[in-house]
Amino acid sequence: MRLQFRYIRDTSNPFELPDEKFLKLFRLNKEATFSLIEELRGLVEEPTRKDTVPFYLQVFASLIFFSSGSYQTNIGEDLNIGISQPAMSRAINRISNLISTHLLASYIKFPTSEIEIRK
């Protein structure tokens, strides 16, 4: 007998967390996180498979990983996100590439100062 579960149930909504806990987990406030999700969502095509991890959960899972540096398996199980380690790895790779390719230059500015050479 084979069970056929072909979709991922989203049982959590991280935006319902208290502000302090949200900021501690994701290192961004809710407004910044929502803006990031919306900006990144505009850069990707909607998935055609029903069993794909929702895009916003990929962003949340990646943000937790970026903020904690913990193991991917533990993060995928955190907050009832329910992402396997391989799916977590793909999400981190995808979100990292999107941020570095499309948003890096807009949001991260390195100082340009001349270094004084002392003799």
Side-chain angles (χ1 to χ4, degrees):
M1 185 178 285
R2 182 174 170 214
L3 298 176
Q4 292 190 5
F5 295 131
R6 297 310 245 167
Y7 63 92
I8 296 174
R9 288 185 311 119
D10 177 18
T11 59
S12 65
N13 181 357
F15 284 116
E16 292 177 354
L17 291 170
D19 290 341
E20 293 114 21
K21 182 163 180 126
F22 190 94
L23 189 60
K24 185 177 180 182
L25 280 173
F26 303 110
R27 301 290 196 257
L28 292 174
N29 63 32
K30 292 178 182 179
E31 293 79 21
T33 304
F34 184 79
S35 294
L36 177 65
I37 292 170
E38 290 302 307
E39 194 162 354
L40 291 175
R41 187 190 318 262
L43 301 172
V44 297
E45 294 180 21
E46 288 296 317
T48 55
R49 294 177 47 183
K50 290 192 283 186
D51 62 347
T52 307
V53 176
F55 183 74
Y56 71 94
L57 284 181
Q58 292 179 40
V59 175
F60 278 119
S62 297
L63 288 176
I64 292 174
F65 179 77
F66 298 151
S67 69
S68 71
S70 185
Y71 292 102
Q72 295 173 3
T73 303
N74 295 340
I75 294 170
E77 295 169 355
D78 198 20
L79 288 175
N80 297 322
I81 290 177
I83 298 177
S84 68
Q85 188 280 322
M88 184 72 191
S89 182
R90 286 189 301 272
I92 292 168
N93 186 40
R94 181 181 193 194
I95 300 305
S96 297
N97 286 335
L98 286 171
I99 290 172
S100 66
T101 304
H102 299 285
L103 303 181
L104 185 69
S106 300
Y107 290 98
I108 298 176
K109 304 291 182 196
F110 293 101
T112 56
S113 62
E114 295 182 29
I115 300 173
E116 182 180 323
I117 301 173
R118 297 182 182 172
K119 291 185 179 183

